[in-house]
Amino acid sequence: MANTAPVILVVGDEEFLVDRAVGSVVSAVRETDAEAEVHDLVGSKVEPGELTRLSSPSLFGERSIVVVRSAQDLQKDVIAEIVKYAAHPADDTVLVLAHPGGVKGKALVDGVKKAGAEVVTVAKPTKPGERLDFIKAEARRHGRTIAPAAAQALLDAVGSDLRELAAACGQLAFDTQGKTIDEAAVNRYHRGRAEVTGFTISDLAVEGRLGEALEQLRWAMATGVAPVLIVSALAGGLRSLAKVGGAPRNLRGAQLASSVGMPPWKIDRVKRQLGAWGQEGISAAMQAVAAADEQVKGGGTDPAYALERAVQVIVASRTGR
């Protein structure tokens, strides 16, 4: 685990950037130990003594990575345990704490900082110029550059969701030739994007409106919306259901918004959608979307069929309890 700090605090409220930061830590650890075990925990469900148990030396010398998401929801005694641990971390464990910032759970943030934890801050782009910088950085991640006009065209077509922007950049880098992605390439893949979005299709499917969802899906495919963007939106819609459905029932308003990382207006919509969903149904739908994701990224020959099948399974899973 060379060059990887034993305790890392990721601070930020943008889910995609937090997920990427956590994933980078896991990848760095596994570069030196491919068999390192990952324990992915949610703050509200971490019990006292759990970190001690997971960080105890293994008889076989195995290394481990303990990820605690939504660390602002940790119990006070668990926070005290983690702060104490951060001062003297185990040799064979990397602890990653994801905190959205803000005052809730501030004792954890202050405590682990004082103990010497490495802090990774992920700032959400809020201005158009910052989103354009994000698009340019995504292109560089794939060894490419993107022309200014192309970056603006992509932002106009896809919108401000970072996960979709990243997926779009990856798709363009994979499917276009040359060092620089130009505006023509963006227009080929995203014309018609303003009329149909993956989010529209996702909402229709989650709400059980099969005919409308398939109609919009077919129009999106006909007008050049990249299949990977539709898959991303379907997955995002189901993740929202799982997050809100799994949140502590005593949370309301701003507390709930902070816990699940969504604006209040979106939570209200997801709550309405949740009425026809159960955990088994959400799980079955997510499996279908994962299969579609593999198909549209090269595992199959007919992305349109894979997406239609995923939409059909999502609708059929709504009564899964």
Side-chain angles (χ1 to χ4, degrees):
M1 286 186 287
N3 301 321
T4 303
V7 181
I8 299 171
L9 173 67
V10 179
V11 180
D13 61 356
E14 167 54 56
E15 179 189 12
F16 173 71
L17 295 179
V18 170
D19 286 349
R20 176 173 281 180
V22 171
S24 294
V25 175
V26 173
S27 297
V29 174
R30 284 185 163 168
E31 282 183 7
T32 58
D33 187 349
E35 302 300 319
E37 185 175 5
V38 178
H39 305 278
D40 208 320
L41 313 176
V42 178
S44 61
K45 297 181 180 179
V46 178
E47 299 291 337
E50 193 164 1
L51 175 61
T52 301
R53 176 177 62 81
L54 293 175
S55 62
S56 297
S58 165
L59 291 175
F60 303 101
E62 295 170 337
R63 291 170 173 169
S64 63
I65 309 157
V66 180
V67 178
V68 180
R69 302 179 190 271
S70 300
Q72 74 277 8
D73 295 328
L74 289 165
Q75 303 172 39
K76 287 185 178 180
D77 48 355
V78 177
I79 288 176
E81 178 185 345
I82 290 177
V83 171
K84 182 179 179 180
Y85 170 89
H88 303 284
D91 292 336
D92 292 332
T93 300
V94 170
L95 172 64
V96 187
L97 304 163
H99 190 286
V103 296
K104 187 178 182 183
K106 191 170 184 296
L108 172 75
V109 173
D110 293 342
V112 298
K113 282 183 177 179
K114 186 176 180 180
E118 178 182 323
V119 180
V120 177
T121 301
V122 289
K124 180 178 181 179
T126 57
K127 300 176 182 178
E130 293 171 345
R131 295 189 185 105
L132 289 172
D133 289 340
F134 174 81
I135 292 171
K136 294 171 185 175
E138 285 299 301
R140 288 194 296 272
R141 284 174 66 91
H142 296 283
R144 309 289 291 281
T145 59
I146 184 167
Q152 185 64 60
L154 187 61
L155 182 61
D156 292 342
V158 175
S160 60
D161 183 86
L162 298 190
R163 198 177 295 274
E164 284 218 343
L165 284 172
C169 289
Q171 186 77 16
L172 286 165
F174 181 77
D175 286 338
T176 60
Q177 301 297 318
K179 181 173 177 57
T180 300
I181 299 168
D182 59 20
E183 189 175 5
V186 173
N187 290 336
R188 279 199 305 273
Y189 278 85
H190 299 283
R191 64 185 183 274
R193 187 70 168 95
E195 289 75 24
V196 181
T197 71
F199 293 122
T200 301
I201 298 165
S202 174
D203 282 335
L204 290 170
V206 165
E207 291 165 11
R209 296 152 66 181
L210 178 60
E212 293 174 76
L214 291 176
E215 180 182 0
Q216 292 297 306
L217 172 61
R218 288 161 187 163
W219 173 248
M221 297 293 289
T223 54
V225 179
V228 68
L229 298 181
I230 300 173
V231 172
S232 176
L234 292 173
L238 294 170
R239 279 196 301 270
S240 294
L241 290 177
K243 281 185 173 183
V244 175
R249 296 187 180 276
N250 62 327
L251 295 183
R252 297 287 187 277
Q255 283 189 326
L256 178 58
S258 175
S259 175
V260 300
M262 293 181 204
W265 65 264
K266 185 172 182 180
I267 290 175
D268 290 341
R269 178 163 194 161
V270 173
K271 280 184 173 180
R272 292 194 295 270
Q273 294 172 337
L274 266 172
W277 285 91
Q279 288 302 315
E280 290 184 8
I282 293 173
S283 177
M286 292 186 79
Q287 290 176 29
V289 172
D293 183 61
E294 181 181 358
Q295 293 289 305
V296 303
K297 290 179 178 176
T301 57
D302 192 344
Y305 173 80
L307 286 168
E308 288 199 12
R309 175 61 180 161
V311 167
Q312 290 167 349
V313 173
I314 290 171
V315 173
S317 299
R318 293 177 73 245
T319 54
R321 297 286 177 178

